[in-house]
Amino acid sequence: MRLCVFTEPQLGATYEDQLAIAQRAERLGFDGFFRSDHYVTFGGDGLPGPTDSWVTLGALARETSTIRLGTLVTSATFRHPGPLAIAVAQVDAMSGGRVEIGLGAGWFEREHNAYGIPFPPVAERFARLGEQLEILTGLWSTPAGATFSYEGRYYDIVDSPALPKPVQQPGPPVIVGGKGPKRTPRLAARFADEFNVPFSSPADTDAQFRRVVEAIEREGRDGRAPIVFSFAQTIVCGRDDAEVRRRAEAVGLDPEKPQDGQLYGTPERIAEQLRDFGKAGASRAFLQLLDMRDLEHLELIAAEVAPLLS
């Protein structure tokens, strides 16, 4: 199972904090550094304030060399699809072809209100997400010298030169994720290179993977590579119970009541939990590290959890 670092910088992290964990994760052999796309914290004061996901990833692209970089997930409400396609393609070039984009419908109304971003009803958000996925993949896969046009309910593209081209072809891997039983699997079947289930038990993760497989069978993949299945889960790892408790309390988690599916405990216990997700079909794990300054946590996972998964 490939292990990725998954961060939530809106909780209170500078660019320097993100750079430090991305570079450390690269040195330790993690597969990827991913960050959320939020503009308001979910708890605490959030100081020094939010950092934009694609501005950050563009900078990290030039200060790393091997680790994959991406969002889990970019909100379709935050950006128009044309400029987003340009930004992601540019960061892909800046990284030498190491970028991935998770794209979602958006859900946190308060951050939209805080920064003047329209927040339409959920049905419209999903419809916009579908059109954005159509446009992003269409722009990236348009042959050089040709143009791309699209007429949708919310977005129209007229004779776009579809530039710049990303390094990865036909485009950077697209991650779709979520727990919805109908719309989300359909979108994944049509557009996703990877499907991610966030913060669920292994049993619920397995059930959602099966829904996506059924949607793929109905939709067909037109010769595309098989979809990658992954999951995201908070991790609290310690060499002993006391260290686990310390790390849990440091990020405001109840050490006596880990949530269903949470990766929680000693390295041996964490590896066992990861294997449970692997049995459900996951080949990639996004490990949510809530304390981005605790680089010893990252060292422990790399040194004592990763070898148990070989």
Side-chain angles (χ1 to χ4, degrees):
M1 181 175 290
R2 293 177 292 156
L3 303 182
C4 297
V5 174
F6 172 34
T7 63
E8 302 275 1
Q10 77 280 354
L11 298 179
T14 64
Y15 169 72
E16 287 74 20
D17 293 327
Q18 295 171 74
L19 174 62
I21 196 169
Q23 290 182 330
R24 186 71 63 91
E26 180 173 79
R27 288 198 296 272
L28 292 171
F30 283 86
D31 186 61
F33 171 88
F34 285 73
R35 56 155 292 161
S36 60
D37 189 24
H38 286 293
Y39 291 135
V40 170
T41 186
F42 303 150
D45 57 23
L47 291 174
T51 51
D52 182 84
S53 60
W54 287 101
V55 171
T56 300
L57 292 172
L60 293 178
R62 305 304 296 171
E63 300 196 68
T64 57
S65 58
T66 59
I67 196 166
R68 298 194 67 79
L69 304 167
T71 53
L72 204 70
V73 296
T74 289
S75 175
T77 56
F78 289 174
R79 300 165 182 88
H80 289 289
L84 178 60
I86 292 171
V88 176
Q90 181 180 354
V91 178
D92 194 48
M94 293 167 71
S95 70
R98 292 183 285 121
V99 160
E100 305 180 26
I101 177 170
L103 191 63
W107 62 273
F108 194 33
E109 184 173 8
R110 187 161 67 87
E111 68 187 335
H112 294 75
N113 295 337
Y115 289 97
I117 303 168
F119 187 72
V122 64
E124 180 179 331
R125 296 202 306 276
F126 267 91
R128 287 179 177 273
L129 171 61
E131 290 192 16
Q132 288 215 8
L133 287 164
E134 193 107 44
I135 292 166
L136 287 173
T137 55
L139 287 168
W140 291 333
S141 61
T142 297
T147 60
F148 175 78
S149 295
Y150 174 85
E151 184 176 347
R153 182 174 180 181
Y154 300 103
Y155 305 103
D156 290 336
I157 306 291
V158 180
D159 294 334
S160 172
L163 297 172
K165 299 300 181 193
V167 171
Q168 299 174 93
Q169 284 296 316
V174 172
I175 304 170
V176 172
K179 304 176 186 181
K182 295 180 181 180
R183 287 178 296 201
T184 300
R186 285 199 300 266
L187 288 173
R190 288 188 63 195
F191 299 108
D193 300 289
E194 180 170 339
F195 183 76
N196 181 273
V197 178
F199 310 114
S200 298
S201 68
D204 290 342
T205 299
D206 177 78
Q208 187 69 336
F209 287 166
R210 291 178 186 274
R211 294 186 189 103
V212 173
V213 170
E214 292 170 0
I216 289 172
E217 290 172 348
R218 290 192 298 269
E219 177 75 24
R221 296 284 287 181
D222 298 326
R224 291 169 58 194
I227 197 167
V228 173
F229 287 111
S230 64
F231 71 98
Q233 190 55 260
T234 305
I235 185 169
V236 180
C237 185
R239 292 178 178 83
D240 52 37
D241 290 344
E243 189 170 327
V244 172
R245 174 180 290 274
R246 175 179 64 79
R247 284 205 163 96
E249 292 176 344
V251 294
L253 299 178
D254 186 344
E256 305 298 331
K257 297 179 180 179
Q259 296 179 4
D260 194 16
Q262 196 171 75
L263 304 172
Y264 196 99
T266 61
E268 294 77 12
R269 176 59 181 147
I270 295 289
E272 180 182 343
Q273 293 166 336
L274 286 167
R275 284 192 287 268
D276 287 341
F277 283 99
K279 292 174 184 176
S283 60
R284 205 178 193 205
F286 290 77
L287 308 179
Q288 186 196 46
L289 297 168
L290 294 176
D291 186 351
M292 293 181 61
R293 296 175 181 86
D294 184 4
L295 297 182
E296 291 183 2
H297 196 190
L298 201 62
E299 298 270 359
L300 176 62
I301 296 166
E304 299 195 27
V305 175
L308 298 177
L309 303 173
S310 299

